[in-house]
């Protein structure tokens, strides 16, 4: 594996793509540290202390961005959902199926529709997430202004991640969306290991 990486680094074009991909992933991780205004990060931490498995799953996929109440809290899940829906629609709707078979132009049009679908799904998910967080008391000064700010931040974060993933796919190495998901999950490994060690040390779980 190391020989493969070493040989790939010697190729100028591939080295540029590797560096570009790395920079984009660093930007993703930096964005995961930008907090959403009007969300109480300390209250978010208390929510996770209640061992809410649904929130825990969202946080793993987002690479800790959800627990820290940052702009990438929803991660790239609306894009994935839009992609799955579009694939199903291309089978069910003849017009989309014909569009899919029109070559590069058809695929570009489908990709454009998928982007719009991502924003719509992100908006729906962000609104639902806002009301859910408000019910848990994680929203500071609940009201229409805080709702607009928080929902807009979530949607903008997802849209930026969608753009970031497409840039990696086009100019970097591998599938950008998959790499963003991978980077988010990998970034949670150190905290997972620390938590597991604490559980073992306190005899909460068996070391096996």
């Amino acid at each position: 594996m190391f020989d493969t990486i070493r040989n790939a680094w010697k190729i100028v074009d591939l080295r540029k793509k590797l560096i570009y991909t790395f920079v984009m992933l660093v930007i993703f991780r930096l964005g995961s540290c930008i907090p959403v205004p009007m969300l109480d990060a300390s209250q978010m931490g208390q929510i996770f202390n209640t061992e809410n498995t649904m929130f825990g799953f969202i946080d793993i996929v987002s690479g800790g961005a959800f627990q820290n109440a940052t702009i990438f809290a929803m991660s790239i899940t609306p894009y994935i959902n839009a992609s799955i829906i579009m694939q199903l629609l291309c089978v069910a709707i003849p017009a989309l199926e014909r569009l899919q078979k029109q070559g590069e132009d058809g695929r570009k049009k489908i990709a454009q529709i998928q982007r719009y679908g991502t924003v719509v799904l992100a908006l729906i998910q962000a609104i639902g997430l806002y009301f859910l967080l408000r019910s848990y008391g994680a929203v500071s000064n609940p009201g229409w202004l805080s709702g607009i700010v928080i929902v807009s931040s979530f949607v903008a974060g997802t849209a930026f991640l969608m753009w970031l993933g497409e840039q990696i796919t086009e100019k970097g190495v591998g599938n950008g969306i998959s790499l963003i998901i991978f980077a988010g999950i990998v970034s949670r490994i150190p905290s997972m290991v620390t938590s597991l060690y604490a559980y073992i040390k306190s005899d909460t779980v068996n070391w096996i």
Side-chain angles (χ1 to χ4, degrees):
M1 182 183 71
F2 292 107
D3 289 337
T4 302
I5 296 175
R6 192 183 302 110
N7 293 332
W9 189 258
K10 294 177 181 178
I11 303 174
V12 178
D13 290 340
L14 193 53
R15 182 168 66 242
K16 290 181 179 178
K17 289 184 177 182
L18 288 171
I19 294 174
Y20 183 86
T21 302
F22 177 76
V23 171
M24 292 294 104
L25 292 178
V26 169
I27 293 174
F28 160 61
R29 291 310 304 160
L30 290 176
S32 298
C33 300
I34 301 175
V36 174
M38 301 183 181
L39 268 185
D40 189 348
S42 61
Q43 186 64 32
M44 292 286 288
Q46 293 180 11
I47 294 174
F48 279 85
N49 289 334
T50 61
E51 297 183 0
N52 190 307
T53 54
M54 180 187 69
F55 284 163
F57 173 76
I58 297 174
D59 191 55
I60 290 174
V61 175
S62 66
F66 184 69
Q67 183 174 359
N68 297 326
T70 68
I71 59 174
F72 292 159
M74 294 198 309
S75 187
I76 202 69
T77 50
Y79 180 88
I80 297 172
N81 293 334
S83 177
I84 295 172
I85 292 172
M86 182 56 63
Q87 289 179 11
L88 294 175
L89 290 178
C90 286
V91 175
I93 301 177
L96 289 176
E97 187 177 5
R98 288 194 299 270
L99 192 63
Q100 192 178 35
K101 295 178 180 179
Q102 288 179 4
E104 187 65 25
D105 292 337
R107 285 192 292 270
K108 286 182 179 179
K109 291 179 181 178
I110 289 178
Q112 189 68 23
I113 297 172
Q114 186 171 310
R115 293 188 191 102
Y116 291 135
T118 299
V119 174
V120 172
L121 290 177
L123 180 61
I124 296 172
Q125 184 174 332
I127 293 173
L129 190 57
Y130 165 74
F131 284 108
L132 183 62
L133 293 175
R134 193 177 72 171
S135 68
Y136 277 93
V139 179
S140 304
N141 302 319
W144 65 269
L145 179 59
S146 62
I148 292 174
V149 171
I150 292 172
V151 169
S152 299
S153 298
F154 284 153
V155 174
T158 296
F160 181 77
L161 282 181
M162 176 178 63
W163 176 83
L164 204 67
E166 290 180 349
Q167 294 303 304
I168 293 175
T169 302
E170 182 180 348
K171 302 176 183 178
V173 177
N175 184 283
I177 302 300
S178 299
L179 286 175
I180 288 175
I181 296 173
F182 173 76
I185 294 175
V186 168
S187 67
R188 296 291 293 155
I189 290 179
S191 62
M192 289 179 179
V193 172
T194 303
S195 299
L196 182 61
Y197 175 75
Y199 285 141
I200 294 174
K201 192 174 182 179
S202 62
D203 292 329
T204 304
V205 296
N206 187 282
W207 67 272
I208 296 178

